Amino acid sequence: MNRSSFMKWVTGGLEAFWALPVIGGSIIFSMSWSPLVVMLILHIITLIISINEGRNKHGSILGIVTSAVGFIPFLGWMMHTLTAILLLVDAYRSEKAIEVS
């Protein structure tokens, strides 16, 4: 497993957790939106690693946008869900591509 795939699994899993309707939103709200700042940093790190390894960067870019608008209740939930799906599918595809080559 390369570093970009690992980071996409991590950030995708976290995004999926934040997408849980009541749990994710209440934790983000109770921590004064600081998880969104942490996720922004993680998405930037994942983006840099993906660029350096020549891998897809779409999920990380969407994650950065999600971190910026994640505080908006319904939009945040929708964005966390889409970002999680995109990152997890991309991580899975990257691992399958490595196994084939």
Side-chain angles (χ1 to χ4, degrees):
M1 178 185 308
N2 57 25
R3 294 182 309 153
S4 63
S5 293
F6 175 77
M7 288 300 293
K8 288 175 186 175
W9 282 116
V10 170
T11 55
L14 287 170
E15 288 291 348
F17 177 75
W18 300 130
L20 295 173
V22 176
I23 298 169
S26 61
I27 292 172
I28 289 173
F29 181 73
S30 69
M31 296 180 77
S32 301
W33 294 278
S34 61
L36 296 178
V37 176
V38 172
M39 290 305 297
L40 175 66
I41 293 166
L42 288 175
H43 287 302
I44 291 170
I45 291 170
T46 306
L47 177 64
I48 292 168
I49 292 171
S50 296
I51 290 171
N52 288 338
E53 292 183 355
R55 302 287 178 190
N56 287 337
K57 51 192 174 285
H58 305 96
S60 298
I61 294 170
L62 185 61
I64 292 168
V65 172
T66 299
S67 296
V69 299
F71 65 93
I72 302 170
F74 184 73
L75 179 64
W77 168 77
M78 198 169 30
M79 292 294 291
H80 285 300
T81 303
L82 291 173
T83 303
I85 292 168
L86 185 61
L87 283 167
L88 294 173
V89 168
D90 190 29
Y92 177 77
R93 286 184 179 170
S94 293
E95 282 196 26
K96 287 299 175 188
I98 290 170
E99 288 177 9
V100 170
S101 58

